[in-house]
Amino acid sequence: MKYQKRTDLALEAHELWRDAAKGAELPGIATREHDAFGYRATVVEITQSEAAKALGKPMGTYITLDLHPYWEHTEDALSRAASAVGAEIRSLLGGEGATSALVVGLGNAAMTPDAVGAQAAEHVLVTRHLMREAAFSHLTAVSVLVPGVLGRTGMEAVEIVRGAAKAVRPDVLIVIDALASRSLERVCTTVQLSDTGIVPGSGVGNRRRAVDRASLGIPVLAVGVPTVVDAATLALDLLEEAGVEKPDPSALRSRGANVMVTPRDIDAQIRELSRVVGYGIDLALQPMDFDALCALMG
């Protein structure tokens, strides 16, 4: 079987298709860019099943935020990055928000590149238990779940999430997970948001059953952070950049099977990006600004 460069990002999948097609346009794909609090947001809309099959992604809207400027650590970097994430989530919600939400942090908290979901969940403001109090009635009712992984629970994440969703009956489910990029340039510097749900474990090469509208019966938004690059994909890109003609993808695949590459300071980067994502979800769901959120979150 011919080895294909691996990526979980719709933006990269589209780039790879265009490269293979020598710049041709793929019917059923619409792309555009806009500014989000100083960060570039690229929207890829997949509107036809043929295009979805070509890219290997479900039909829907995918937004990729380029957070490279965040790592300059300016005084307002966290505020702008979280606000950008929040604004794009609101756009996927239709701009009207939701009265209730269940936020799910997927992944293995004991495996650093896969811990972004669990760590981001720690920064989500939980309010469902406060809704009986009049002082909090203006807030969105938010619940948080970190289901763990199959090897520790004996249950698929979608099974646990389905049970929780049945109990709390949220308007929307927001899932957070690690992704795989085809480029080191996008590792821990981008966030992908989509309205198509997510496949747990895809970022670390352990794909599980999908968490999406089809499996749960409610809208599912996905927030993904690329934390790894498939080793064979990276090797193939490096060989092509070095001018090696027609490297053998199958040989790279056999030698690099199930090997992922991640930055050596991935723990620090995950800590920071988890805060960006968690605060972004808060700003998308709750009627408050960044300063008020920081006051509440401590």
Side-chain angles (χ1 to χ4, degrees):
M1 182 180 294
K2 184 179 178 181
Y3 171 68
Q4 301 294 327
K5 293 181 180 178
R6 176 182 171 184
T7 178
D8 292 323
L9 301 181
L11 173 63
E12 291 184 337
H14 187 222
E15 291 173 347
L16 288 170
W17 189 93
R18 293 196 65 189
D19 288 346
K22 302 186 183 302
E25 295 298 329
L26 177 61
I29 297 289
T31 64
R32 64 182 185 275
E33 292 186 357
H34 62 268
D35 178 85
F37 292 86
Y39 296 100
R40 184 174 74 251
T42 304
V43 182
V44 176
E45 289 185 303
I46 305 177
T47 59
Q48 296 181 17
S49 58
E50 293 82 1
K53 183 177 180 180
L55 299 189
K57 308 294 177 188
M59 288 191 296
T61 300
Y62 300 81
I63 305 171
T64 302
L65 274 174
D66 182 351
L67 296 183
H68 274 89
Y70 173 78
W71 297 106
E72 297 173 6
H73 289 113
T74 57
E75 184 176 352
D76 63 345
L78 177 59
S79 172
R80 290 194 301 111
S83 296
V85 171
E88 299 310 317
I89 292 175
R90 281 196 302 275
S91 73
L92 292 175
L93 289 170
E96 298 181 358
T99 59
S100 62
L102 173 60
V103 179
V104 179
L106 297 174
N108 188 344
M111 183 187 299
T112 303
D114 199 29
V116 65
Q119 290 193 26
E122 296 178 2
H123 300 290
V124 174
L125 185 62
V126 178
T127 57
R128 180 173 177 264
H129 61 301
L130 302 174
M131 301 312 295
R132 295 178 182 177
E133 304 293 333
F136 301 103
S137 60
H138 65 292
L139 298 178
T140 299
V142 175
S143 307
V144 171
L145 174 68
V146 180
V149 293
L150 179 65
R152 288 181 175 271
T153 65
M155 294 177 283
E156 291 277 5
V158 69
E159 295 172 333
I160 299 173
V161 173
R162 185 185 295 117
K166 184 177 181 180
V168 303
R169 301 183 181 278
D171 293 336
V172 64
L173 184 77
I174 300 177
V175 294
I176 315 161
D177 202 6
L179 303 178
S181 171
R182 60 77 52 102
S183 168
L184 282 175
E185 287 295 313
R186 288 194 173 103
V187 170
C188 293
T189 62
T190 52
V191 175
Q192 177 177 269
L193 308 104
S194 73
D195 59 4
T196 62
I198 204 164
V199 178
S202 60
V204 291
N206 184 30
R207 295 173 66 89
R208 311 307 308 173
R209 289 165 56 186
V211 179
D212 56 17
R213 187 165 194 160
S215 62
L216 296 174
I218 58 175
V220 179
L221 305 186
V223 182
V225 178
T227 61
V228 296
V229 177
D230 176 66
T233 297
L234 177 61
L236 186 58
D237 280 343
L238 292 175
L239 287 172
E240 290 176 349
E241 291 174 8
V244 176
E245 294 186 5
K246 297 182 179 179
D248 183 1
S250 61
L252 295 173
R253 179 64 172 170
S254 62
R255 292 175 182 271
N258 299 320
V259 176
M260 296 291 175
V261 179
T262 195
R264 63 181 179 180
D265 62 340
I266 186 65
D267 53 342
Q269 295 193 46
I270 290 296
R271 281 197 301 270
E272 292 212 35
L273 289 175
S274 295
R275 196 176 181 200
V276 169
V277 169
Y279 280 17
I281 292 171
D282 291 332
L283 293 174
L285 295 176
Q286 303 298 353
M288 62 182 66
D289 60 20
F290 181 77
D291 291 337
L293 174 63
C294 288
L296 282 175
M297 299 297 287

